Amino acid sequence: MMRARLLSAFVLLGALGATTTGCRTDSTNIQAWGSKSQGPRKLVAVLTHDKYPTDLRIEAALMLVSMKPRGGRRIGIQGTDEQPGLIDALAQMQPASRTAIVARLVPKLQTEMLKPLPAAQAGVAVADATIPYKDAAFAILTHDDGALLTDEGLRKGLKATLATWAATNFADRLDDTSQMFGMEQVLRELKADGVRSLPDLIVPGASKIDRMSQLIADFGDDATKAKASEKLVTVALEVNSAKWIEQKAGVVEAANKASKRNPAPEQFKAQLAQYQEEELTHVLTSMKKVGGKPAVTFLLGFAQDKTQSEKRRQAALAALQGNLDKKDTSHAQAVLAIAGASDTPDPVRDLALARVGELPRPLVIDKLYDLFKDPNWKVRQVAAQLVLKMSETPQLPEFFTNLGKADNMTITEALRYGALLSGMKGTPTPAEVAEKYAASGHPVQNRLAALGYYYTVGTAADVGKVSGYTSDKTATPKCKADAKDCDWKCEVQGEKGPETKEVSTLGEFVEYCVKPAMEKNKAAK
């Protein structure tokens, strides 16, 4: 309210001044006022008084836009608490008068926005003189939900100019802190129209590819995202090439000289490889943001390529997160092939199985059960965990059927499967399933997993449900000779403190592992 009263007073003062001095005000005055402390007040008076020629009023408006910031604030556009700027002045004008001024002003702002940037002088960048015109244009477009610019044709044209401005010198303008409205704020307003031309900027060697990709992911339409996806594949192929290594050798060599490093040839080669890997990872991360068929096809092929390093294959699989087509069987087959290959490194396999976990159960369940036969127990464990996470208790019979055929089961598996069983939904309840499969008559693998349920959620009150198994002499599975982390052992509290007990039977598993855990669970409650 105070702001409005002040503004009305200034406009009235301007009107009174116009009565006596309007005939003497000309372009020379407008130019002079641009650098004066009271300049904004006088320029607003000219802008808002309809007795001045329209051309002079437009010139006053442009002078307000171009005024240098004071105290970090563009007072010509934003005004201050004591005096209005361009936007408040326009807002207080009568609609008919404002519409006439805006119709003439907006094309002038567009012209200024599209002027080419001057070349850097002596290697020093020159300030972007188009920014205040962009800020004024955006403020007019968005102020009070667009109330200052009601002509739809003008609005459409101004949005197109803002989009062109944003795509020009994108990297520098993105980070230019002198703007009233940052690039992301502008593009958020323009939405799909604002980012439509950004894919053309995604080329090998371009900067800010990651930021462009995020903006396209946030605001782009399907066609824009598809084009960006294609462009990112082109960049990835370039970065992963021998040509790229050759081009960057000089950069790395210069960095070594600047740091007074003198690496041996093999060390220099390793530096280049690391540099390439880091740059490629950045591109793959951008692919994750944008997605799209071209990127997904590339990432799947890259992840399956055994000539690529383990880290690069991991990066490709990580970039596929959330981007696989849940209806495309070829996507499922690709990640399952990686997970099931005997020569897949464990970290790569883990990520492949994580991607499998994002796919619909019917598409992958049979292949996951096939992995129960893998000689590496860790492969089976990850696959089994996925099966349990994507299943409900009515589907557990098929899980136990496959688990009962698994060789070399470990104590880690028994405890982990039991823990996952405890959180499952459906009828019968997890407790009923555990009681059923813990009983004799089932394969020992199933019984151990079911007893693992009590290890996780059982309490002292439930000890009676498992005590009868302490004398069970059924042998626990044997680990393969070369298996890692497979020992059947549990730590118990002895007379002299903690001691490790070998677990060779199901009864010992209950006595040394399950019952002590149940008693601790009671103590914890």
Side-chain angles (χ1 to χ4, degrees):
M1 182 66 71
M2 177 65 73
R3 183 75 177 270
R5 287 200 294 268
L6 286 171
L7 181 57
S8 297
F10 279 120
V11 172
L12 177 59
L13 179 61
L16 292 173
T19 303
T20 58
T21 63
C23 61
R24 297 194 301 272
T25 300
D26 57 20
S27 182
T28 302
N29 300 122
I30 299 297
Q31 297 301 315
W33 291 340
S35 59
K36 303 297 183 181
S37 60
Q38 293 300 310
R41 178 182 63 80
K42 296 179 179 180
L43 292 168
V44 165
V46 173
L47 169 64
T48 55
H49 200 287
D50 58 11
K51 290 189 176 181
Y52 287 103
T54 301
D55 287 347
L56 195 65
R57 297 171 71 185
I58 297 301
E59 186 177 351
L62 292 172
M63 182 55 64
L64 285 167
V65 173
S66 65
M67 290 183 71
K68 293 182 178 180
R70 298 178 187 175
R73 183 181 180 90
R74 292 195 178 278
I75 62 169
I77 301 174
Q78 299 169 280
T80 67
D81 291 338
E82 291 74 31
Q83 61 186 38
L86 171 69
I87 302 305
D88 284 335
L90 289 173
Q92 293 299 316
M93 292 174 66
Q94 292 298 315
S97 179
R98 177 177 62 235
T99 298
I101 292 296
V102 169
R104 294 279 302 276
L105 177 59
V106 166
K108 298 283 188 181
L109 295 175
Q110 291 174 282
T111 298
E112 293 295 330
M113 288 167 59
L114 297 177
K115 283 185 176 180
L117 294 174
Q121 298 178 1
V124 178
V126 178
D128 189 342
T130 69
I131 285 177
Y133 299 97
K134 181 273 298 182
D135 283 338
F138 187 75
I140 290 172
L141 179 70
T142 59
H143 181 77
D144 194 16
D145 294 327
L148 301 184
L149 185 58
T150 56
D151 185 294
E152 191 57 37
L154 276 178
R155 290 184 64 83
K156 185 176 180 180
L158 185 52
K159 285 185 175 183
T161 302
L162 283 165
T164 300
W165 183 91
T168 305
N169 201 32
F170 175 87
D172 289 337
R173 286 176 171 171
L174 182 66
D175 291 335
D176 194 319
T177 58
S178 70
Q179 301 175 72
M180 288 170 50
F181 307 100
M183 180 82 80
E184 292 188 22
Q185 185 176 355
V186 172
L187 295 179
R188 190 176 297 112
E189 174 68 24
L190 301 180
K191 297 183 174 60
D193 291 337
V195 300
R196 189 164 286 118
S197 60
L198 292 189
D200 292 331
L201 307 182
I202 299 176
V203 295
S207 60
K208 309 295 184 183
I209 287 178
D210 57 336
R211 300 282 294 278
M212 285 188 274
S213 298
Q214 186 62 65
L215 290 166
I216 291 167
D218 290 343
F219 309 122
D221 54 25
D222 290 343
T224 301
K225 291 177 181 178
K227 187 174 182 180
S229 186
E230 293 176 0
K231 292 283 192 173
L232 287 168
V233 170
T234 300
V235 174
L237 291 169
E238 172 77 13
V239 172
N240 200 45
S241 67
K243 175 185 174 184
W244 189 92
I245 289 286
E246 293 173 3
Q247 292 174 338
K248 298 301 179 180
V251 176
V252 176
E253 186 175 2
N256 284 330
K257 287 181 179 179
S259 302
K260 297 182 179 179
R261 291 192 297 259
N262 187 27
E266 285 303 311
Q267 292 174 317
F268 182 70
K269 184 177 180 181
Q271 285 181 322
L272 280 169
Q274 182 179 353
Y275 183 18
Q276 184 183 48
E277 196 165 78
E278 290 172 355
E279 289 299 308
L280 181 62
T281 299
H282 291 323
V283 181
L284 300 186
T285 301
S286 293
M287 286 185 177
K288 178 181 179 181
K289 296 173 183 177
V290 173
K293 186 174 181 179
V296 170
T297 300
F298 171 83
L299 291 167
L300 284 171
F302 195 90
Q304 293 178 87
D305 185 354
K306 297 177 182 179
T307 67
Q308 301 297 334
S309 71
E310 178 181 312
K311 188 174 180 180
R312 296 183 188 197
R313 295 177 72 189
Q314 284 180 270
L317 286 164
L320 285 166
Q321 183 179 12
N323 287 315
L324 293 172
D325 187 340
K326 296 182 179 181
K327 297 180 181 180
D328 192 330
T329 57
S330 68
H331 288 189
Q333 291 168 356
V335 289
L336 283 165
I338 297 169
S342 60
D343 57 350
T344 297
D346 287 343
V348 176
R349 190 191 318 279
D350 289 345
L351 273 173
L353 286 170
R355 297 292 79 80
V356 171
E358 298 172 8
L359 297 172
R361 190 179 190 276
L363 205 60
V364 299
I365 192 67
D366 290 339
K367 184 61 179 178
L368 287 174
Y369 281 134
D370 285 344
L371 293 178
F372 282 30
K373 305 169 188 175
D374 196 287
N376 183 344
W377 70 268
K378 292 183 179 180
V379 174
R380 176 177 61 243
Q381 176 176 293
V382 177
Q385 289 177 154
L386 281 176
V387 170
L388 291 172
K389 289 176 181 178
M390 59 176 56
S391 300
E392 295 187 349
T393 57
Q395 296 164 318
L396 282 174
E398 64 180 17
F399 170 81
F400 281 112
T401 296
N402 285 278
L403 183 64
K405 302 173 184 177
D407 294 328
N408 315 118
M409 181 176 170
T410 69
I411 191 171
T412 302
E413 291 181 80
L415 299 177
R416 183 60 182 148
Y417 303 156
L420 289 171
L421 170 61
S422 69
M424 293 184 71
K425 298 178 180 180
T427 303
T429 66
E432 292 170 332
V433 173
E435 184 176 2
K436 173 183 176 180
Y437 284 96
S440 59
H442 295 284
V444 67
Q445 299 93 324
N446 296 349
R447 299 183 68 193
L448 291 165
L451 289 165
Y453 164 87
Y454 295 103
Y455 178 94
T456 299
V457 299
T459 67
D462 304 312
V463 167
K465 297 179 180 179
V466 300
S467 293
Y469 299 122
T470 56
S471 59
D472 194 308
K473 301 300 181 183
T474 304
T476 54
K478 300 297 181 183
C479 296
K480 290 180 62 179
D482 59 348
K484 296 180 180 179
D485 307 317
C486 183
D487 296 338
W488 279 84
K489 296 178 182 178
C490 273
E491 188 178 88
V492 299
Q493 189 66 33
E495 294 181 1
K496 297 181 180 181
E499 57 182 278
T500 300
K501 290 285 190 179
E502 295 284 345
V503 175
S504 60
T505 67
L506 183 143
E508 291 174 344
F509 176 65
V510 173
E511 184 66 34
Y512 299 144
C513 307
V514 178
K515 285 178 60 180
M518 295 171 74
E519 291 165 358
K520 287 181 180 179
N521 289 343
K522 173 63 160 61
K525 296 181 181 180

